Amino acid sequence: MPDCIFCKIIAQTIPSPLIYEDEKCVAFADIHPKDKTHLLIVPREHIPTVADANGEQEPLLGHLITTGKKLAQMLNLSGYKLQFNVGKEGGQEVFHIHLHLIGH
Ligand code: AMP
Ligand code: ZN
């Protein structure tokens, strides 16, 4: 396993309650929330950044977005942000792809 905090959360060697999980991804609360709701939607597959994703992984990236939409509906968010930070200069701190779902 890569030495990756999100891989460890997915494996639950670092416990963080999973708000959602399916065969492709999990979602859990961001430890430093930027709004009332701030979830991270994280693929089970370790891909460092969106810039590293290949064509085969395109459906997986789409799945993260539709999962974000589903979770936003479940949480009754009327409007929200879905955000990927890409690369250090793009504000990315954890190098395992994750989609931020931010709203209130
Ligand atoms: P990014 O800057 O896009 O890489 O986002 C990384 C996010 O992961 C930040 O918003 C952090 O607050 C969050 N984060 C870092 N460590 C943890 C953790 N152990 N559990 C939950 N969220 C975390
Ligand atoms: Zn990882």
Side-chain angles (χ1 to χ4, degrees):
M1 189 204 288
D3 186 23
C4 164
I5 191 158
F6 286 176
C7 281
K8 286 176 184 164
I9 289 174
I10 290 163
Q12 290 283 292
T13 51
I14 294 178
S16 174
L18 300 182
I19 282 147
Y20 172 85
E21 64 176 316
D22 63 29
E23 71 288 358
K24 292 191 191 123
C25 71
V26 306
F28 50 86
D30 195 292
I31 206 167
H32 298 304
K34 290 214 163 85
D35 206 334
K36 208 170 105 194
T37 297
H38 188 167
L39 301 183
L40 300 173
I41 302 157
V42 184
R44 292 185 184 277
E45 182 179 358
H46 179 92
I47 308 164
T49 81
V50 169
D52 298 306
N54 60 36
E56 251 175 56
Q57 290 155 336
E58 210 176 304
L60 177 60
L61 298 183
H63 181 73
L64 301 181
I65 294 169
T66 52
T67 299
K69 177 195 83 167
K70 232 162 54 178
L71 290 173
Q73 284 168 345
M74 263 171 53
L75 296 167
N76 281 318
L77 303 180
S78 48
Y80 49 90
K81 293 172 186 159
L82 289 172
Q83 182 175 325
F84 287 110
N85 295 329
V86 184
K88 203 163 174 246
E89 298 296 312
Q92 188 175 358
E93 288 171 9
V94 177
F95 284 79
H96 177 140
I97 288 181
H98 50 281
L99 180 62
H100 294 260
L101 166 60
I102 301 170
H104 57 258

